[in-house]
Amino acid sequence: MLLQVNVTFGVVLAVLLVVAATVAAVAHLGRGREIAVAGVRAAVQLGAVSLVIGWVVRSVPLLLAFLLLMYAVAVRTAGRRITANRTWWWAWLPIAAGVVPVVCALLLTGLVPLKGIALIPVTGILIGGALTATVLGGRRALDELGLRHGEVEAGMALGLPDRDARMEVAREAASDALLPGLDQTRTVGLVTLPGAFVGMLLGGASPLLAGAVQLFVLVALMAVQAVAVSLVLELVARGRLYRDPA
């Protein structure tokens, strides 16, 4: 067993959360309260999922409903991180376009069975990766357009369409959203041993099988994130996803 779930576990977890929130507050990072709330929410949500997961994995309709809930929460979270106005709902597109084809390919090829015990964790990893890439890509693109608005206007003055002028300014910044996934894949086995790999080893799988599964997850994540960043950048460039003027 990797961790002993007991009173000591709870105390250490609480201390780590307090440390994280306190450091953020002392350093004036502006995220202290968010860190505390996120930690408490994670505990409540994981506790709830632990209670219902046994029912979900036994029923295909419940399984699909659970996956849809995961997707809806990801869209809401990503969209509201990018913008506070009503265009946040466009986050549905980059997340779905990245995740759905990969999950369908996994099911059609039989690499992942239509069983909750396999489909939920794989889909959750992919949705989480798409969420992160969408948030980072969208925020970086909009930040860059805000800082370099004059360059966008100059490009349009030279005859570039609105979309192309915005794309020239925002593309490089949005592509930075791919860096966490790239670095994780480059350093896997040397710097980090990701959760899928460690989990399979603890579950009794051979190191070769665990490595193969982890490699598949990492490559699938890069594909999902590349699609998500490309589409969120396109939405920003076309003015579908924007921020209201300050």
Side-chain angles (χ1 to χ4, degrees), residues 14-234:
V15 169
L16 289 174
L17 182 59
V18 170
V19 168
T22 302
V23 170
V26 171
H28 302 289
L29 301 180
R31 303 288 184 186
R33 183 176 181 275
E34 287 187 51
I35 290 173
V37 172
V40 174
R41 280 189 58 174
V44 173
Q45 289 164 191
L46 286 173
V49 169
S50 299
L51 292 175
V52 304
I53 197 74
W55 300 329
V56 171
V57 297
R58 297 191 186 99
S59 168
V60 172
L62 286 177
L63 169 61
L64 296 179
F66 189 77
L67 294 177
L68 185 60
L69 175 63
M70 292 168 64
Y71 168 70
V73 172
V75 170
R76 171 76 178 182
T77 302
R80 301 302 286 182
R81 279 293 184 192
I82 296 171
T83 180
N85 63 34
R86 58 185 175 78
T87 65
W88 67 264
W89 67 272
W90 274 105
W92 73 268
L93 181 57
I95 295 177
V99 173
V100 172
V102 174
V103 172
C104 289
L106 293 176
L107 292 174
L108 291 174
T109 57
L111 290 175
V112 174
L114 187 58
K115 295 180 180 179
I117 200 66
L119 192 57
I120 287 176
V122 171
T123 306
I125 291 172
L126 297 179
I127 291 176
L131 184 158
T132 301
T134 299
V135 170
L136 293 177
R139 287 176 65 91
R140 291 288 289 116
L142 289 172
D143 287 346
E144 199 73 1
L145 289 176
L147 290 172
R148 300 168 60 187
H149 183 66
E151 294 179 43
V152 176
E153 292 184 341
M156 291 189 289
L158 292 173
L160 285 177
D162 293 4
R163 178 262 182 195
D164 294 348
R166 295 191 189 100
M167 186 69 76
E168 287 298 317
V169 169
R171 181 185 285 114
E172 185 175 353
S175 71
D176 286 349
L178 298 175
L179 292 179
L182 285 171
D183 289 342
Q184 183 183 27
T185 304
R186 283 175 174 170
T187 61
V188 66
L190 298 175
V191 177
T192 61
L193 293 175
F197 179 81
V198 175
M200 290 195 67
L201 287 181
L202 293 175
S206 69
L208 181 61
L209 178 59
V213 170
Q214 184 61 65
L215 176 62
F216 178 84
V217 169
L218 290 172
V219 174
L221 266 175
M222 286 196 295
V224 166
Q225 292 178 334
V227 171
V229 171
S230 298
L231 282 177
V232 77
L233 174 60
E234 191 69 37

